[in-house]
Amino acid sequence: MKNVRELAVDALLSIEKNQSYSNLLLNHYLDQHKVQKKDAGLFTEIVYGTVQRRMTIDYYLAPFIAKQKKLQDWVKILLNISLYQMLYLDRIPERAVIFEAVEIAKKRGHKGVASVVNGVLRSIQRNGVRSLDDITDEIEKISIATSHPKWLVEKWVEQYGLEQTTLMCEQNLKPPFQTARVNTHKATVEEVMEMLIDEGYNVVKGEVSPYAIVLKQGNLAYSKVYEKGLLTIQDESSMLVAPSLGVEIGQTVYDCCAAPGGKTTHIGELLKGTGKVFATDLHEHKVKLIVSQATRLGLTNIEAKAYDSRKVQDIFEHESFDKVLVDAPCSGFGVIRRKPDLKYAKSAKDIEQLATIQKNILTHVAPLVKKGGTLVYSTCTIDKEENMEVVSEFLKEHPHFSLDAEFRNLIPEVAHKYVENGMLQILPHYFNSDGFFIARLKRQV
């Protein structure tokens, strides 16, 4: 049976070769290999941490492997996870890290490979790693120090400036707390917090959303409170989207691109069992997730269907909905803390293509909004090309829509200072939450 570090090498190989997403792959490995609870934390830490800091580790490792013939992929990954533990995990002695790495190298390769691994790691132990201060170019320094591709750092510096970009990139290296939204259709935040504390969870109120509970350690998805349908696991920034619609009792709402249903169910809760939420998503298996969550939460006012939101005019008549939510597919650069491999997987061309898809979806769902109704556009990215620029182009082509000044009154006061021209952009370091964008548009009567 493989130990945690051998499994980490396998998992990281799969992420690199198969372009697997780390968050999905981790759960698969934990289940398939029946990793015990006491080891699951270390396995997750090594895999996530090594992906998160890959470019920094490569920078540190490069001088020590420069004279080696081309290393096999698994040997390079073994060195990477070992260096990650030596540099970033205080509780594991360096001698233990090196011993484990050499044993894995012997088992997986041969004595020669083990000798190389031992030599590289002991040399780093003796000499230390080079300083990041040796990098004179500011952009490159942020890129290497925080493991973000240089083109991305350049783009963000253009959009937000050097200081904000540095803060954002540094924040992306920090592990996120788990947050959950209380189903206020069934109980108050205070009541749910008491139940969780009785179950032994260490929870506090959120700082941004009035519906949020923040967990200090553990997983609320295993709580009895979650099982009873009183909670949904969701980031605080994401919890601002549904209230931005300003739904009123009895209204009809359309949520396109809705899976896995976090915002759909929030809208259902805000309607307090009245009205109707129609939710669509491109993939049938993802629609099942929406149905499953609505059932768990006891929401009967949600109807979900697999459908391409660019063709919805085939099934819904014009001006059918009081409110429409477009939580658009995006680069996901606001959730890098949760999905660290995203920053290496996306390219500038991907962003261009996504912006085109986003505009296309907005154009196709806009006719469904009633006169005087509301269209909310949101993404979990911080890229202006996918956010402000998409909204700006949509408004140019759809003059019967305009940015809604009422938007500010629908979000918590703590976020007001980040609203600009009727649009809210939350960067990850503002509230220690996901980066998120929300724009509320009004259709003229």
Side-chain angles (χ1 to χ4, degrees):
M1 187 166 173
K2 292 182 177 179
N3 67 31
V4 167
R5 292 172 178 85
E6 288 176 275
L7 283 179
V9 172
D10 288 343
L12 287 162
L13 264 175
S14 183
I15 289 170
E16 285 205 4
K17 286 190 172 177
N18 305 325
Q19 301 289 306
S20 310
Y21 284 118
S22 54
N23 58 323
L24 301 176
L25 189 88
L26 247 64
N27 291 334
H28 170 72
Y29 265 74
L30 290 171
D31 290 343
Q32 187 186 21
H33 296 278
K34 297 183 170 49
V35 178
Q36 292 190 4
K37 199 173 178 181
K38 66 182 176 62
D39 294 326
L42 179 60
F43 172 75
T44 305
E45 167 82 58
I46 291 175
V47 173
Y48 258 50
T50 305
V51 173
Q52 193 72 278
R53 296 184 181 270
R54 190 174 85 191
M55 292 174 65
T56 317
I57 292 171
D58 284 346
Y59 171 81
Y60 288 144
L61 200 54
F64 297 96
I65 59 175
K67 292 181 183 174
Q68 299 293 336
K69 291 179 183 174
K70 185 171 168 46
L71 295 171
Q72 293 178 68
D73 290 343
W74 71 266
V75 179
K76 174 73 172 25
I77 287 172
L78 178 60
L79 288 170
N80 281 4
I81 67 161
S82 302
L83 193 51
Y84 173 74
Q85 295 169 79
M86 289 166 70
L87 295 177
Y88 300 107
L89 299 186
D90 296 334
R91 62 187 184 278
I92 305 176
E94 288 187 351
R95 65 176 184 285
V97 174
I98 296 172
F99 175 79
E100 285 273 2
V102 171
E103 290 302 305
I104 293 170
K106 282 183 195 168
K107 186 176 170 185
R108 195 158 183 150
H110 49 71
K111 279 186 179 178
V113 178
S115 175
V116 169
V117 168
N118 187 52
V120 169
L121 295 179
R122 292 213 177 276
S123 184
I124 293 172
Q125 190 182 30
R126 279 194 306 275
N127 301 306
V129 294
R130 57 180 166 169
S131 171
L132 291 164
D133 291 335
D134 295 344
I135 306 171
T136 53
D137 181 87
E138 283 291 343
I139 303 287
E140 189 179 354
K141 194 170 180 177
I142 298 171
S143 165
I144 298 297
T146 65
S147 286
H148 286 73
K150 192 175 176 184
W151 72 268
L152 201 52
V153 177
E154 281 174 340
K155 189 174 173 67
W156 290 349
V157 168
E158 276 178 26
Q159 295 182 346
Y160 294 103
L162 199 63
E163 184 184 352
Q164 292 296 312
T165 300
T166 304
L167 290 171
M168 184 159 54
C169 289
E170 287 173 348
Q171 183 70 22
N172 283 343
L173 296 174
K174 296 176 184 172
F177 284 116
Q178 188 184 57
T179 52
R181 185 190 79 232
V182 172
N183 181 357
T184 51
H185 183 46
K186 285 188 168 181
T188 66
V189 172
E190 288 74 17
E191 287 168 345
V192 172
M193 282 183 69
E194 273 186 35
M195 292 180 214
L196 287 169
I197 290 167
D198 286 345
E199 279 194 56
Y201 287 96
N202 181 6
V203 292
V204 295
K205 264 188 166 181
E207 292 181 13
V208 188
S209 167
Y211 307 99
I213 285 175
V214 181
L215 176 69
K216 294 299 182 183
Q217 197 174 12
N219 190 341
L220 290 174
Y222 298 132
S223 68
K224 290 175 187 167
V225 174
Y226 179 86
E227 198 178 318
K228 289 176 184 170
L230 297 172
L231 284 179
T232 295
I233 308 299
Q234 188 179 24
D235 184 79
E236 275 202 79
S237 296
S238 178
M239 291 180 210
L240 301 183
V241 176
S244 299
L245 286 160
V247 293
E248 295 168 19
I249 299 299
Q251 286 192 325
T252 306
V253 184
Y254 174 47
D255 180 6
C256 66
C257 318
K263 298 174 193 71
T264 309
T265 52
H266 197 182
I267 298 166
E269 290 165 12
L270 293 172
L271 283 169
K272 301 185 185 304
T274 71
K276 196 81 181 175
V277 189
F278 289 93
T280 60
D281 198 275
L282 194 55
H283 306 288
E284 184 71 47
H285 67 283
K286 289 187 176 179
V287 170
K288 288 178 182 171
L289 295 175
I290 304 172
V291 174
S292 163
Q293 290 304 311
T295 303
R296 184 181 63 80
L297 293 162
L299 298 166
T300 55
N301 56 353
I302 292 174
E303 187 175 324
K305 187 179 178 67
Y307 214 79
D308 186 337
S309 52
R310 291 166 292 189
K311 298 177 182 172
V312 288
Q313 292 183 46
D314 296 344
I315 54 172
F316 297 124
E317 290 184 6
H318 285 196
E319 301 179 26
S320 299
F321 297 97
D322 300 292
K323 309 281 162 66
V324 171
L325 170 61
V326 178
D327 186 49
C330 68
S331 59
F333 288 146
V335 296
I336 284 175
R337 290 186 308 165
R338 300 179 196 280
K339 300 176 182 176
D341 34 335
L342 268 179
K343 59 188 175 184
Y344 311 119
K346 300 290 181 187
S347 67
K349 192 171 174 59
D350 290 331
I351 293 175
E352 279 178 36
Q353 289 171 342
L354 282 163
T356 302
I357 292 169
Q358 290 152 357
K359 281 179 271 190
N360 205 351
I361 292 172
L362 273 174
T363 298
H364 281 88
V365 302
L368 305 184
V369 182
K370 287 180 182 174
K371 288 186 176 69
T374 298
L375 173 62
V376 166
Y377 173 74
S378 66
T379 71
C380 60
T381 191
I382 50 84
D383 193 279
K384 289 189 177 181
E385 201 175 328
E386 298 175 68
N387 294 336
M388 291 83 164
E389 290 180 24
V390 166
V391 172
S392 176
E393 288 197 31
F394 172 79
L395 290 174
K396 276 183 200 166
E397 293 168 11
H398 300 79
H400 51 299
F401 279 92
S402 59
L403 285 162
D404 189 350
E406 193 188 340
F407 175 51
R408 185 185 285 265
N409 302 325
L410 296 168
I411 57 172
E413 193 175 344
V414 69
H416 284 188
K417 62 181 175 182
Y418 300 116
V419 177
E420 196 173 341
N421 299 325
M423 297 178 274
L424 171 67
Q425 177 68 72
I426 295 176
L427 301 183
H429 57 282
Y430 290 172
F431 302 115
N432 191 25
S433 63
D434 289 349
F436 234 91
F437 174 81
I438 306 171
R440 179 182 157 102
L441 312 173
K442 194 86 176 169
R443 181 168 182 174
Q444 291 170 9
V445 177

